Amino acid sequence: MPAACESVLEDIEDIVSAQDLKPHERQSVRKNVFPKVRKRGSHKNIQTDDDPPSDSIIPGVQKIWIRTWGCSHNNSDGEYMAGQLAAYGYKITENSAEADLWLLNSCTVKNPAEDHFRNSIKKAQDGNKKVVLAGCVPQAQPRQDYLKGLSIIGVQQIDRVVEVVEETIKGHSVRLLGQKKDNGKRLGGARLDLPKIRKNPLIEIISINTGCLNACTYCKTKHARGDLASYPIEELVDRAKQSFQEGVCEIWLTSEDTGAYGRDIGTDLPTLLWKLVEVIPEGAMLRLGMTNPPYILEHLEEMAKILNHPRVYAFLHIPVQSASDSVLMDMKREYCVADFKQVVDFLKEKVPGITIATDIICGFPGETDEDFHETMNLVDQYRFPSLFINQFYPRPGTPAAKMHQVPAAVKKQRTKDLSQLFHSYNPYDHKVGERQRVLVTEESFDSNYYVAHNRFYEQVLVPKDPLLMGKMVDVNIYEAGKHFMKGQPVSDARVYTASITRPLAKGEVSGLTGEVRRALQNSSHWKAAPSAEVPAKTPASSRMALQLLWPQEGLKILSVSLAFLAVLVTFYYGRM
């Protein structure tokens, strides 16, 4: 007779074959079974092992420490991974020493960021911590020696972080680095409606697209994030609505290049922004992310109108990188300095007071003294209030790494010279005495003030009054520094409460329905439940919602249920 697994089961009773013992035969056999007395000292022959077998480890109860480096897009990814893990039952801790597993979310833009990432891996291994790697470094170069044998979650696979963590805790090494596609078309990435833990419950970071249309010769991020892939407008608007319903009062739009949004799906950035401003409540604000000059040039008129909207910060980050056309050509930046100036001049005219932030790379291969002086002149001309100065680092695998390098001492000196120029002027001195309306969203690094931002996304420090947090208030500016102003709230001014509802508590999971949230809180069995189980006490609709959150567990739950049913049948026949 063929084995039971080779035949088709039409009924659960078919598991019992004709050759199996009948119930009355099992009963008679039991009479001949005698208990065996264990001899004293036999326990000496039992092997002990500090680590239990992997199958005995119950995922979903461990503590996880998450560290993220890099841009706001990376921070958003880290928030999504934390939310999914916490919703599944893992405890997210800020204490790395007590954590069972470290989730390290990396940045590949510059060498120092990768060095910190590499050192953290070694520290985790020295501390016998389980490690899962994420972000752009392992996505771009997964075969590096120091990544061997370690679990990796790709930048487009963050919705499967629970699987990777679960297998890593069991002692396995897992790597998920694929791209998400729909009918062969590359998607923007993981769903936007996943559970999330916001680092700041008042600020929602929304990635509107991933990847870009450029091929900059110095950029390693392109190797990780790939070509442009935009999220549909309706999904982004829905995410914004959900955020406001959870108490968020400030939204950041982010991507590798927000200006290129929509080119792959037949729309554009202004169209998205007009849809978003329709759902922003009074007292809340929207901040735009970085855009490269070539793509914003096409929409200058519409962008000026949007940046003048009262619920959109008059702020734009436009990286120039160099004021030398020769250097920009070697960088393959696809614009010239005149293009950058046209964008800045137009926006300054049409959006009075707008803040333009920009980036400069010092010491790019082939940069001459004359090239650098042109950059110095540009900064001196526009006196950017926000300037990100970066010494060039050749990233492995990029064309710029193979170019003739500027000596390290020259790069260092140019970085120092540009920094001195930047610190030679104070952009906010003329604003002392002004009355400004600001939105308070966070605490300062020194914990002495609350941090707010005015209409132009300029930083204003205000007194630490808990009643101000998450509110829009009027202040009188009484002091100015290089990077900030200080303001005193006006006593008789109206206070705007931006939030539609109470903000989530710090560490609370976003993106869960009220029913699911109550189910997770009320079921004491949940955190101890094996990965394939949903608590028995959970209502049917909540069980369905939980399974939608983790669709990869569906087959596991079915297999466990069938196995459990088979055990019940066997037990039933054994009792007959």
Side-chain angles (χ1 to χ4, degrees):
M1 179 179 176
C5 64
E6 295 175 357
S7 59
V8 177
L9 296 181
E10 296 182 354
D11 190 88
I12 192 67
E13 293 182 358
D14 291 339
I15 292 178
V16 182
S17 70
Q19 282 71 30
D20 288 334
L21 294 174
K22 303 299 185 289
H24 68 276
E25 292 173 334
R26 290 195 185 94
Q27 192 66 32
S28 62
V29 169
R30 286 179 184 153
K31 296 178 181 178
N32 300 320
V33 177
F34 300 94
K36 183 176 180 180
V37 179
R38 179 178 291 178
K39 296 181 181 180
R40 292 183 180 177
S42 62
H43 64 278
K44 294 180 181 179
N45 298 324
I46 299 175
Q47 276 191 319
T48 60
D49 192 346
D50 292 336
D51 296 322
S54 62
D55 290 343
S56 71
I57 296 175
I58 300 176
V61 298
Q62 289 78 15
K63 295 179 180 178
I64 298 177
W65 180 67
I66 301 176
R67 173 70 192 276
T68 295
W69 292 267
C71 65
S72 54
H73 192 164
N74 229 31
N75 277 276
S76 177
D77 287 352
E79 292 179 350
Y80 273 123
M81 289 189 284
Q84 293 171 86
L85 292 167
Y88 195 77
Y90 291 102
K91 179 179 167 127
I92 308 301
T93 178
E94 294 184 0
N95 185 345
S96 60
E98 72 173 12
D100 301 293
L101 180 143
W102 286 14
L103 174 54
L104 304 176
N105 189 20
S106 61
C107 171
T108 191
V109 172
K110 294 188 289 188
N111 291 359
E114 183 171 350
D115 291 341
H116 287 303
F117 174 62
R118 185 188 296 109
N119 293 337
S120 294
I121 293 174
K122 185 177 185 306
K123 186 175 180 181
Q125 292 171 326
D126 292 343
N128 294 319
K129 306 290 185 183
K130 301 287 186 182
V131 182
V132 171
L133 308 179
C136 292
V137 171
Q139 179 73 53
Q141 285 188 296
R143 293 184 178 84
Q144 293 188 83
D145 287 342
Y146 72 93
L147 304 180
K148 286 182 178 178
L150 298 176
S151 291
I152 296 175
I153 180 81
V155 295
Q156 284 213 324
Q157 301 292 331
I158 60 171
D159 55 340
R160 301 182 67 184
V161 67
V162 171
E163 293 177 71
V164 176
V165 166
E166 178 178 330
E167 292 303 319
T168 303
I169 285 173
K170 289 179 179 179
H172 305 148
S173 176
V174 183
R175 295 192 168 200
L176 296 178
L177 293 165
Q179 302 292 325
K180 291 194 179 298
K181 295 182 179 180
D182 182 17
N183 294 324
K185 180 177 175 60
R186 187 169 179 268
L187 299 177
R191 300 196 326 264
L192 295 173
D193 59 351
L194 293 170
K196 185 178 199 179
I197 294 180
R198 298 184 183 94
K199 186 176 180 181
N200 184 336
L202 297 174
I203 298 175
E204 166 71 2
I205 306 171
I206 302 179
S207 301
I208 62 174
N209 56 267
T210 187
C212 69
L213 294 173
N214 296 335
C216 301
T217 57
Y218 57 82
C219 183
K220 188 71 175 176
T221 305
K222 177 77 172 187
H223 297 189
R225 299 284 182 177
D227 294 327
L228 178 69
S230 305
Y231 285 99
I233 288 179
E234 57 271 18
E235 291 182 17
L236 295 166
V237 172
D238 287 344
R239 182 66 195 181
K241 287 179 180 177
Q242 177 190 322
S243 301
F244 291 128
Q245 290 166 359
E246 292 176 336
V248 162
C249 61
E250 187 171 286
I251 285 183
W252 297 356
L253 299 186
T254 185
S255 77
E256 282 64 58
D257 188 350
T258 59
Y261 171 80
R263 284 171 170 257
D264 57 320
I265 58 173
T267 186
D268 54 43
L269 181 61
T271 303
L272 168 65
L273 295 177
W274 284 125
K275 291 292 185 181
L276 284 172
V277 296
E278 292 176 2
V279 301
I280 302 175
E282 183 180 17
M285 295 295 290
L286 174 70
R287 192 195 80 173
L288 304 186
M290 184 273 289
T291 175
N292 284 310
Y295 309 112
I296 202 70
L297 269 170
E298 299 178 17
H299 308 296
L300 282 179
E301 290 282 356
E302 283 300 299
M303 289 303 299
K305 294 176 184 177
I306 291 166
L307 291 167
N308 274 310
H309 193 282
R311 295 176 192 175
V312 178
Y313 285 117
F315 166 89
L316 205 56
H317 179 193
I318 314 171
V320 64
Q321 305 300 5
S322 173
S324 164
D325 286 342
S326 173
V327 173
L328 291 175
M329 186 176 296
D330 289 340
M331 291 179 173
K332 287 193 175 179
R333 289 291 289 169
E334 299 184 6
Y335 61 86
C336 61
V337 178
D339 294 332
F340 174 81
K341 290 183 175 181
Q342 180 184 349
V343 172
V344 175
D345 292 343
F346 182 89
L347 291 178
K348 279 182 169 291
E349 177 187 351
K350 300 295 184 180
V351 189
I354 186 174
T355 295
I356 300 292
T358 195
D359 299 359
I360 301 287
I361 295 176
C362 296
F364 185 82
E367 182 185 63
T368 65
D369 289 340
E370 291 74 19
D371 294 328
F372 180 66
H373 284 309
E374 289 181 24
T375 299
M376 291 281 283
N377 291 336
L378 181 78
V379 174
D380 192 36
Q381 176 186 351
Y382 286 98
R383 304 226 157 191
F384 304 103
S386 182
L387 178 64
F388 302 96
I389 302 170
N390 302 291
Q391 180 176 317
F392 174 76
Y393 290 95
R395 300 297 291 131
T398 61
K402 300 175 183 177
M403 298 178 181
H404 180 69
Q405 302 296 308
V406 173
V410 175
K411 290 192 292 186
K412 187 174 181 179
Q413 185 60 49
R414 288 176 183 172
T415 304
K416 182 179 178 181
D417 291 345
L418 186 57
S419 297
Q420 287 178 344
L421 173 59
F422 174 61
H423 287 282
S424 68
Y425 57 87
N426 293 317
Y428 307 130
D429 284 352
H430 66 285
K431 298 198 173 189
V432 173
E434 289 185 358
R435 177 166 171 163
Q436 299 181 355
R437 182 161 296 170
V438 299
L439 177 60
V440 185
T441 55
E442 55 192 316
E443 187 177 73
S444 63
F445 286 116
D446 61 9
S447 299
N448 293 328
Y449 299 90
Y450 280 163
V451 177
H453 291 90
N454 62 16
R455 166 94 178 84
F456 310 106
Y457 203 69
E458 296 164 335
Q459 185 170 271
V460 180
L461 304 180
V462 299
K464 283 185 67 175
D465 179 354
L467 296 177
L468 299 178
M469 186 57 71
K471 307 292 194 303
M472 187 171 281
V473 298
D474 286 352
V475 298
N476 289 321
I477 302 299
Y478 65 89
E479 184 180 332
K482 174 63 181 175
H483 302 285
F484 64 88
M485 290 169 276
K486 290 183 181 179
Q488 185 64 37
V490 178
S491 58
D492 60 344
R494 177 185 172 187
V495 175
Y496 296 85
T497 301
S499 304
I500 297 175
T501 184
R502 179 190 64 83
L504 299 179
K506 187 173 177 61
E508 191 173 354
V509 180
S510 155
L512 299 182
T513 64
E515 189 173 11
V516 174
R517 195 182 301 279
R518 286 191 296 274
L520 292 175
Q521 292 171 346
N522 295 336
S523 179
S524 59
H525 176 64
W526 174 244
K527 285 192 177 181
S531 61
E533 296 182 12
V534 177
K537 296 180 182 179
T538 307
S541 58
S542 293
R543 289 168 65 85
M544 182 180 297
L546 288 169
Q547 291 172 21
L548 285 174
L549 286 174
W550 305 288
Q552 67 269 21
E553 297 298 332
L555 290 177
K556 288 185 180 180
I557 294 172
L558 178 61
S559 62
V560 169
S561 301
L562 289 174
F564 182 65
L565 185 57
V567 171
L568 286 177
V569 171
T570 304
F571 178 75
Y572 171 75
Y573 275 94
R575 297 281 292 177
M576 291 178 62

